[in-house]
Amino acid sequence: METPIKRSSTINPPVFYGSAALIAALVIFASIFPKSSQEFFGQVQGWIVENVSWFYILTLALILFATVFLAASRYGDIKLGPDHSEPDYKNASWFAMLFSAGMGIGLMFFGVAEPVMHFIAPPVGDPNTIEAAKEAMKLTFFHWGLHAWAVYAVVALILAFFSYRHGLPLTLRSALYPLIGERIYGPIGHAVDIFAVISTVLGIATSLGYGVLQINSGFNYLFDLPIGTNIQVILIISITALATLSVATGLDKGVKRLSELNLILAVILLTLVLVLGPTALLLKSFVENTGGYLSEIVSKTFNLYAYDPTEWLGGWTLLYWGWWISWSPFVGMFIARVSRGRTIRQFVTGILLVPTGFTFMWMTVFGNTAIHLIMKEGMTSLAETVSADSSLALFAFLEHFPFSTFLSMVAVCMVILFFVTSADSGSLVIDMLASGGKTETPLWQRIFWASSTGVVAIALLLSGGLAALQTATIASALPFSVVLLIAIWGLFKALHIDSTKRELRHQSATHYSRQHKSTGGWQRRLRSMVMFPRRSHVNRFIDEVVLPGFEEVAVELRKQGYSVEVISDEKKRSKLEVQHNQEVNFIYEVRPRAYVQPDFIMPETTEADLEDREERKYFRAEVHLMEGGQDYDIMGWSREEVIDDILDQYEQHMHFLHVVR
């Protein structure tokens, strides 16, 4: 499925100009009328908390259930890409980018602050008790655990599946394809992508604006750097410049390397605090916290405090749920961008378990240590600092450790780098959205969007409009959650069709491995098995056998009224495509694929030959369908055998269409 819109420019004008104009209008409104806008958006958020909090809670529960089900079900073996595709990034780099884009900066801000705040002001029960300490860690795990990553995972899964598996644009509009079809290329699709751009720009800008307050507080705490608007503007400019430089160097260099550096620094800081703190207590607490979280995940998921109303729910859980949903277009698109080639099971398992496990360890080490300092060592000043200014929590906490200056410097560097990686990954996502899903765009576009987030953050900081747009961003989660639930339903429909086709294909897979018994008998079959053809041999086979076979089949199908194309490019990738109008087209493709020759074919190989081994390739004529490579070679088959294989595959395709109609 390819977009029917052909443009020489990489810009998608309705999305690019529409989102830029709306962002400017929102920023001007929030800047000129900061109090009025904050009051208006605050009323909207208050109405949501009061009247539809049940919907947020139910939405997150359904998303988590759907995500876990996808990993455990028969759909888990489906790849996010053609069947023959492999992951673009190694696991370590992939996890680093997930962690940095998803919630790395939140751990720096809330790792100490949230457990302490729940400890000194729990939603129920007495504060500053052992029970309050246990409940504080359970609540922290609940807010930063599987629910948050499930939201990111399901958005990323929807986008990656339709983009890499079905050739749709890597933008948010593709999530609606099962529901509205080709209309995603019209006004509805433009509106969805504009919403995603606005949500991402405002989310990053408001986070950047608040983030520099923490960085400024950290520098003031460490070096007595004055706290003031001018300093904060300079910090925003510096972070934006670093993010712009990272975006300009591209995903594989800038964003990936910064994410890996972030993860390394996070592991170093985590290890130092673990070793210098109450190590045995922390390891026991990690196990107990995890067990407590898992044992109460169902009750906490559905707890609305309906019988004992409290404002705590709206100020914490619902605020987090709204924030995760409002950030999911940005984080989900970025995760989809770096996840091509993994199966759904690998994808979901990796996203849910690895970042969540690291997050739980981080929260335990920092949160339990802070609570231990307050409860057992009488450091009540830490609780007072957290209560007065949560942006100082991390630095006030590290003051109680040996090498506190060094640890605080590492923490400041991590805060800065996390903001840079959030800004640069966000800019890449915005650029894709505004370019119709294109990943190769001009440098000026990437710089434009990277710098725009900084400009918006500065304008909001100077005018006092940060709180208004942060509230607006969280409130926007309500309409998007409706769209997301509909998109999940569409994903299940598409996965059912895809899985049904795979099962039908595998039921008749015996012909993949057989060699047709015609002229030449078993001797010809043996020669084909031990032959290591050169590229020229495979190219000649495609020209003399495959393409004439394609043409014969095409002629017969055209007689039956079908529209058929036979295409061959300069690399001899040859394709037969049968059009089925509104149904899934049939594609049978033969591609030359190179492999390194095995050592056993040249037992007297010299050392020089071994050095050149990588240069000696042999080629297979491999069959590809719409779903990807089928891992069997037809080199040496006769024209009749090739035609017979095409008909076998086409018969399965027709049976598949009958089943899913």
Side-chain angles (χ1 to χ4, degrees):
M1 297 174 223
E2 300 290 341
T3 172
I5 303 173
K6 302 292 184 183
R7 299 187 184 95
S8 57
S9 171
T10 57
I11 288 178
N12 185 351
V15 177
F16 187 95
Y17 297 115
S19 56
L22 287 173
I23 289 168
L26 280 170
V27 171
I28 291 171
F29 173 59
S31 300
I32 296 177
F33 308 105
K35 291 184 179 179
S36 300
S37 56
Q38 170 65 13
E39 183 180 345
F40 171 73
F41 292 127
Q43 289 174 350
V44 172
Q45 184 173 323
W47 180 87
I48 291 172
V49 170
E50 180 67 25
N51 295 284
V52 292
S53 56
W54 62 270
F55 181 73
Y56 270 23
I57 297 295
L58 192 59
T59 297
L60 265 291
L62 289 173
I63 288 173
L64 179 58
F65 175 78
T67 307
V68 173
F69 173 80
L70 286 171
S73 70
R74 60 179 179 145
Y75 305 140
D77 294 329
I78 297 175
K79 277 195 174 183
L80 300 177
D83 288 339
H84 63 282
S85 59
E86 296 297 329
D88 290 339
Y89 297 97
K90 295 180 180 178
N91 286 337
S93 299
W94 187 56
F95 293 139
M97 289 189 280
L98 297 183
F99 177 71
S100 296
M103 56 182 60
I105 189 58
L107 300 186
M108 300 300 295
F109 196 92
F110 288 103
V112 173
E114 182 167 348
V116 171
M117 285 189 278
H118 293 325
F119 173 65
I120 62 179
V124 294
D126 298 324
N128 302 311
T129 62
I130 293 175
E131 287 304 315
K134 291 181 179 180
E135 189 65 16
M137 295 312 303
K138 290 177 187 176
L139 289 170
T140 303
F141 275 33
F142 178 59
H143 291 152
W144 293 84
L146 296 175
H147 292 78
W149 284 102
V151 175
Y152 294 157
V154 79
V155 174
L157 180 58
I158 291 167
L159 297 174
F161 176 78
F162 288 117
S163 177
Y164 300 137
R165 190 86 181 166
H166 292 283
L168 295 173
L170 188 58
T171 64
L172 199 61
R173 70 177 67 203
S174 297
L176 300 181
Y177 188 84
L179 309 175
I180 63 174
E182 296 295 321
R183 283 180 292 170
I184 64 168
Y185 299 112
I188 297 175
H190 297 328
V192 170
D193 283 350
I194 287 172
F195 167 81
V197 171
I198 294 172
S199 177
T200 304
V201 170
L202 298 185
I204 294 173
T206 51
S207 295
L208 190 59
Y210 282 118
V212 296
L213 303 180
Q214 185 185 25
I215 297 171
N216 197 180
S217 298
F219 281 142
N220 175 261
Y221 197 81
L222 292 170
F223 312 116
D224 292 324
L225 185 72
I227 293 179
T229 304
N230 292 336
I231 297 294
Q232 291 158 9
V233 169
I234 293 172
L235 288 172
I236 290 177
I237 292 172
S238 302
I239 292 172
T240 304
L242 290 172
T244 304
L245 180 62
S246 174
V247 168
T249 57
L251 180 62
D252 292 334
K253 294 182 179 178
V255 178
K256 188 181 83 167
R257 290 175 182 173
L258 280 179
S259 298
E260 291 170 346
L261 176 59
N262 258 335
L263 188 58
I264 291 170
L265 290 176
V267 171
I268 290 173
L269 185 60
L270 179 71
T271 304
L272 288 173
V273 175
L274 175 63
V275 171
L276 296 172
T279 308
L281 171 65
L282 294 177
L283 295 175
K284 289 189 290 185
S285 298
F286 174 71
V287 175
E288 186 170 337
N289 293 342
T290 304
Y293 165 74
L294 293 175
S295 66
E296 296 184 16
I297 188 170
V298 174
S299 62
K300 277 188 164 44
T301 295
F302 294 99
N303 188 6
L304 280 159
Y305 297 92
Y307 297 99
D308 185 17
T310 172
E311 293 183 359
W312 182 92
L313 181 69
W316 282 101
T317 302
L318 294 181
L319 196 67
Y320 271 124
W321 283 186
W323 191 247
W324 301 143
I325 293 173
S326 66
W327 266 62
S328 61
F330 147 51
V331 181
M333 274 197 62
F334 181 76
I335 292 175
R337 173 70 178 83
V338 299
S339 299
R340 184 180 186 274
R342 284 177 163 80
T343 65
I344 289 177
R345 185 169 294 113
Q346 293 169 341
F347 175 85
V348 171
T349 304
I351 291 178
L352 284 189
L353 298 186
V354 178
T356 301
F358 187 88
T359 300
F360 285 178
M361 192 66 193
W362 183 279
M363 291 299 189
T364 297
V365 168
F366 285 83
N368 274 108
T369 303
I371 291 174
H372 174 77
L373 290 173
I374 297 169
M375 282 186 67
K376 302 299 183 182
E377 300 188 16
M379 302 293 183
T380 55
S381 60
L382 177 58
E384 293 169 0
T385 301
V386 172
S387 182
D389 186 357
S390 57
S391 66
L392 287 175
L394 179 62
F395 305 107
F397 167 78
L398 294 175
E399 191 180 52
H400 298 287
F401 284 81
F403 318 111
S404 59
T405 303
F406 170 73
L407 294 176
S408 296
M409 285 296 299
V410 173
V412 170
C413 289
M414 287 179 61
V415 171
I416 294 172
L417 284 175
F418 273 128
F419 272 112
V420 171
T421 50
S422 291
D424 59 16
S425 55
S427 300
L428 284 172
V429 166
I430 299 166
D431 190 34
M432 282 193 292
L433 286 165
S435 303
K438 296 181 178 67
T439 55
E440 300 296 329
T441 56
L443 181 61
W444 72 265
Q445 282 182 221
R446 286 175 276 159
I447 292 175
F448 172 79
W449 289 115
S451 56
S452 293
T453 56
V455 172
V456 171
I458 291 172
L460 295 172
L461 181 68
L462 293 175
S463 65
L466 278 170
L469 283 191
Q470 184 184 42
T471 307
T473 302
I474 296 171
S476 70
L478 178 61
F480 182 64
S481 61
V482 177
V483 173
L484 187 53
L485 289 176
I486 296 172
I488 291 172
W489 178 68
L491 174 67
F492 272 92
K493 283 184 59 180
L495 285 172
H496 173 70
I497 293 173
D498 200 302
S499 181
T500 300
K501 188 173 185 180
R502 282 162 53 88
E503 289 177 1
L504 291 173
R505 192 170 72 246
H506 292 157
Q507 286 172 5
S508 306
T510 54
H511 74 282
Y512 287 1
S513 59
R514 78 168 190 256
Q515 294 288 342
H516 295 251
K517 296 178 181 179
S518 58
T519 307
W522 66 267
Q523 293 91 344
R524 188 182 70 96
R525 181 181 176 187
L526 178 62
R527 284 196 301 271
S528 297
M529 291 168 61
V530 300
M531 180 174 58
F532 296 94
R534 309 290 289 180
R535 178 188 288 275
S536 58
H537 299 151
V538 174
N539 288 349
R540 185 165 62 250
F541 169 74
I542 290 173
D543 285 336
E544 296 177 357
V545 177
V546 174
L547 285 173
F550 282 3
E551 292 293 350
E552 287 188 34
V553 174
V555 168
E556 290 301 318
L557 286 170
R558 287 171 185 143
K559 289 179 181 178
Q560 305 299 321
Y562 287 91
S563 175
V564 186
E565 283 188 295
V566 175
I567 304 169
S568 183
D569 62 18
E570 67 278 359
K571 295 181 180 179
K572 293 300 178 183
R573 293 191 300 189
S574 303
K575 179 170 69 174
L576 171 75
E577 180 169 4
V578 184
Q579 305 289 333
H580 281 272
N581 297 324
Q582 299 301 316
E583 296 185 305
V584 180
N585 292 342
F586 171 72
I587 292 178
Y588 185 100
E589 187 173 353
V590 178
R591 297 184 185 180
R593 187 174 179 187
Y595 294 86
V596 177
Q597 288 185 3
D599 293 332
F600 68 81
I601 67 169
M602 296 185 67
E604 303 298 327
T605 306
T606 65
E607 185 174 344
D609 289 335
L610 287 174
E611 292 177 357
D612 293 337
R613 178 174 174 269
E614 288 296 322
E615 300 301 320
R616 292 199 304 274
K617 306 278 188 180
Y618 75 96
F619 286 78
R620 286 161 45 107
E622 294 194 352
V623 172
H624 286 239
L625 304 178
M626 178 173 285
E627 297 77 22
Q630 301 303 300
D631 296 323
Y632 69 100
D633 178 23
I634 63 171
M635 179 64 189
W637 290 17
S638 68
R639 186 185 306 179
E640 290 74 18
E641 290 168 341
V642 172
I643 292 174
D644 191 32
D645 192 56
I646 295 170
L647 297 182
D648 284 344
Q649 294 285 11
Y650 190 56
E651 185 176 34
Q652 291 180 56
H653 183 79
M654 293 296 287
H655 181 48
F656 157 72
L657 294 182
H658 290 311
V659 169
V660 299
R661 282 190 182 113

